[in-house]
Amino acid sequence: MFNLFNLTLKLNGFPIEKARIELNKILKIPAENYQGYIENKKREIAVYHLKNNSFYQNLVGTNTFKNWNDLPVITKNDLQKPLHERLSKDYIKKTVFINKTSGSSGDPFIFAKDKEAHAITWASIIYRFGWYNINFNSSYQARFYGIPLDFLGYRKERLKDLLSKRYRFPIFDLSDVVLAKILQKFQEKKFDYINGYTSSIVLFGKYLKKKNIVLTDVCPTLKVCMVTSEMLFEEDKILLEKYLGVPIVNEYGASELDLIAFQNPQGEWQVNSETLFVEILDENNQPVANGTEGKIVITSLFNKAHPFIRYEIGDIGILDEASTSKMPILKKLIGRTSDIAILPSGKKSPGLTFYYVTKSIIEDDGNVKEFIIRQTKLDTFEIDYVSSTKLTSLQIQKIEKAIATYLESGLHFTYNRKDVLKRTARGKLKQFESLL
């Protein structure tokens, strides 16, 4: 087998074989010794940056530390400085991997990884996809992602797709005409797996349902579907499993870090404890007990070029009570800290609460394809939705009654039927947004 994907990584200076050997050593550490491994890696990376990174030294205010919880939590706002000011000693832009975050949290920034850290990120991804017999060198991917529309950016992504054995479906237009063309490609090509944004794949699933087609009937080589970047609701997972005809795997990651959690074959959202250390903290940045909701804060254990130490990613989640050092389990991902609705009573509620309540009602008849909710005032919300027919007054009454029950009464809503919903530049659908 010609390992084109591995070769591409090597040619770009990423030591993938060395990284795979390192990852395999970590995986073999016994569970009873794993806490020691984590503590050693945490101290090692913090000490490194305190000695070699002036940005991190200034943030901490000293070049030593005694207790892990004394180290500051890094926010995205802290990182909105020129990259050269944040690089560690002995690293320059030419010698590191550079990328930028999507900005879905409203705080985009450019980041860097040293090439060894980026290689072990890929080793980690390759390992997890292997749980489902997906091989990046031979398995053919159907990719539902955005793509840059400028000439150079577009050509660069298409070349990467070719080298990575994947076929990309741009997702900025997912009308029925386009979805029919996507279905035709599945009839023509022998795809092994699907990977991409949740909302786009769900739209495709709804199209298949409308046509009463199970995708594996027209593309029998298909094995699995990985959804990422947006929330996957249980009813959508059930829909996709039925009409794609394959297992649906929930992925949670961040470009600046690694895969954070990946659904294992037992159905658990297994946290990456090999290259990352994941903490759940309260509003005072103190650790909470497993089973308790809090801010997700992550340390990259290998990135020496740029510090991601106690980095607040902007999400809220819960670790399962049964979590161990070697195998933490993400019990629930609630949403982004920036997506909190503040109500007239003073109550704070994750914006996705509205989405859960509303979704269960207005999708009863399959009329509504997708929708987003926007808070414009303390007591005022707008719902933009795409549907074949306008919402009825009875549907609207049910929505508002449910919201009054689950949240509070006295909230005002306007409903805007749209042909398409606005997505980010990368094609993501921001399901709740507060304009307060």
Side-chain angles (χ1 to χ4, degrees):
M1 184 192 301
F2 182 52
N3 294 338
L4 182 59
F5 185 79
N6 284 6
L7 180 62
T8 303
L9 289 173
K10 289 177 187 175
L11 292 175
N12 282 287
F14 304 119
I16 185 63
E17 290 306 323
K18 181 181 175 183
R20 290 179 81 156
I21 291 169
E22 178 75 20
L23 181 66
N24 284 334
K25 286 180 182 176
I26 297 167
L27 292 169
K28 289 176 182 176
I29 297 172
E32 61 269 23
N33 298 342
Y34 210 80
Q35 183 65 40
Y37 161 75
I38 293 291
E39 293 303 322
N40 286 339
K41 290 300 294 183
K42 284 161 56 182
R43 177 161 290 278
E44 181 183 298
I45 197 68
V47 167
Y48 179 87
H49 283 296
L50 285 170
K51 287 183 178 178
N52 297 284
N53 190 290
S54 58
F55 161 76
Y56 192 63
Q57 289 170 3
N58 292 333
L59 199 66
V60 176
T62 177
N63 60 4
T64 61
F65 77 102
K66 289 184 178 179
N67 300 311
W68 181 257
N69 290 342
D70 293 337
L71 293 173
V73 170
I74 298 177
T75 66
K76 296 193 177 192
N77 189 52
D78 292 327
L79 301 176
Q80 289 177 321
K81 293 176 167 55
L83 180 61
H84 69 86
E85 294 180 14
R86 293 180 273 127
L87 288 177
S88 298
K89 187 172 64 178
D90 298 330
Y91 290 98
I92 58 174
K93 288 184 179 181
K94 289 183 179 179
T95 62
V96 297
F97 168 77
I98 296 174
N99 204 348
K100 59 184 176 182
T101 63
S102 66
S104 58
S105 65
D107 301 300
F109 62 88
I110 295 172
F111 66 89
K113 292 182 184 179
D114 61 80
K115 294 197 171 182
E116 290 78 8
H118 191 55
I120 205 165
T121 291
W122 271 114
S124 166
I125 295 168
I126 290 165
Y127 163 67
R128 282 170 170 76
F129 274 62
W131 292 346
Y132 297 92
N133 297 315
I134 297 302
N135 184 315
F136 277 38
N137 290 295
S138 59
S139 300
Y140 195 20
Q141 178 190 142
R143 189 171 182 82
F144 285 74
Y145 267 75
I147 191 167
L149 297 179
D150 63 283
F151 181 81
L152 285 177
Y154 182 87
R155 292 297 166 198
K156 182 179 177 182
E157 288 302 311
R158 284 299 189 192
L159 177 60
K160 284 165 65 178
D161 288 341
L162 179 66
L163 295 174
S164 302
K165 205 165 173 39
R166 61 199 188 201
Y167 186 92
R168 185 184 302 241
F169 299 111
I171 57 176
F172 299 110
D173 176 6
L174 289 175
S175 60
D176 281 3
V177 172
V178 174
L179 291 170
K181 292 177 181 176
I182 291 174
L183 176 59
Q184 186 177 349
K185 287 294 180 187
F186 276 93
Q187 293 169 327
E188 297 169 355
K189 295 180 178 291
K190 294 181 178 180
F191 290 115
D192 292 289
Y193 68 113
I194 297 171
N195 190 14
Y197 294 155
T198 307
S199 62
S200 303
I201 296 171
V202 168
L203 269 182
F204 184 47
K206 290 178 179 178
Y207 175 80
L208 293 171
K209 179 183 178 182
K210 186 166 70 173
K211 297 295 181 181
N212 197 26
I213 293 171
V214 175
L215 194 58
T216 47
D217 289 344
V218 300
C219 184
T221 53
L222 199 63
K223 299 185 186 79
V224 66
C225 170
M226 285 82 170
V227 296
T228 189
S229 294
E230 301 159 337
M231 295 291 285
L232 174 65
F233 295 93
E234 186 60 29
E235 58 267 40
D236 287 337
K237 184 178 181 181
I238 293 167
L239 171 98
L240 291 178
E241 285 174 341
K242 182 175 181 179
Y243 289 98
L244 298 186
V246 295
I248 307 302
V249 176
N250 208 350
E251 174 187 304
Y252 171 42
S255 57
E256 64 270 36
L257 297 167
D258 197 335
L259 283 183
I260 299 166
F262 197 72
Q263 187 178 317
N264 64 28
Q266 291 72 48
E268 301 163 314
W269 222 355
Q270 187 171 330
V271 173
N272 171 3
S273 65
E274 295 86 37
T275 74
L276 303 176
F277 172 60
V278 176
E279 301 175 83
I280 307 292
L281 305 182
D282 64 19
E283 290 184 355
N284 298 314
N285 293 331
Q286 295 303 306
V288 301
N290 289 347
T292 305
E293 171 187 319
K295 300 186 295 184
I296 298 177
V297 173
I298 302 176
T299 297
S300 177
L301 298 173
F302 285 87
N303 191 355
K304 292 182 176 179
H306 186 291
F308 284 105
I309 298 173
R310 308 197 86 201
Y311 164 61
E312 185 177 335
I313 193 168
D315 292 332
I316 302 170
I318 301 171
L319 284 179
D320 194 274
E321 293 87 340
S323 295
T324 64
S325 296
K326 189 174 177 69
M327 193 172 167
I329 301 297
L330 186 63
K331 186 175 185 177
K332 194 172 184 182
L333 183 64
I334 296 166
R336 305 202 71 88
T337 52
S338 57
D339 293 342
I340 299 294
I342 302 172
L343 305 178
S345 65
K347 180 179 179 180
K348 293 181 180 179
S349 182
L352 282 170
T353 306
F354 290 90
Y355 196 80
Y356 277 114
V357 172
T358 311
K359 183 180 179 67
S360 63
I361 297 166
I362 69 176
E363 290 203 332
D364 280 346
D365 61 357
N367 172 40
V368 178
K369 290 185 176 181
E370 55 183 357
F371 62 94
I372 57 176
I373 298 174
R374 186 168 49 251
Q375 184 174 18
T376 56
K377 296 178 183 176
L378 206 60
D379 64 347
T380 304
F381 298 81
E382 293 181 356
I383 297 179
D384 293 348
Y385 66 97
V386 177
S387 67
S388 50
T389 59
K390 192 174 179 180
L391 286 177
T392 65
S393 57
L394 181 61
Q395 285 175 309
I396 289 172
Q397 285 174 22
K398 285 183 178 180
I399 290 168
E400 296 183 358
K401 182 180 179 181
I403 288 172
T405 301
Y406 287 98
L407 292 154
E408 62 184 59
S409 57
L411 303 178
H412 305 290
F413 291 83
T414 56
Y415 300 84
N416 309 307
R417 186 177 167 214
K418 304 279 188 180
D419 293 327
V420 293
L421 294 182
K422 184 180 177 182
R423 283 173 154 78
T424 69
R426 291 196 178 186
K428 293 183 183 180
L429 184 69
K430 192 170 174 63
Q431 292 158 327
F432 175 84
E433 181 181 17
S434 174
L435 301 181
L436 299 186

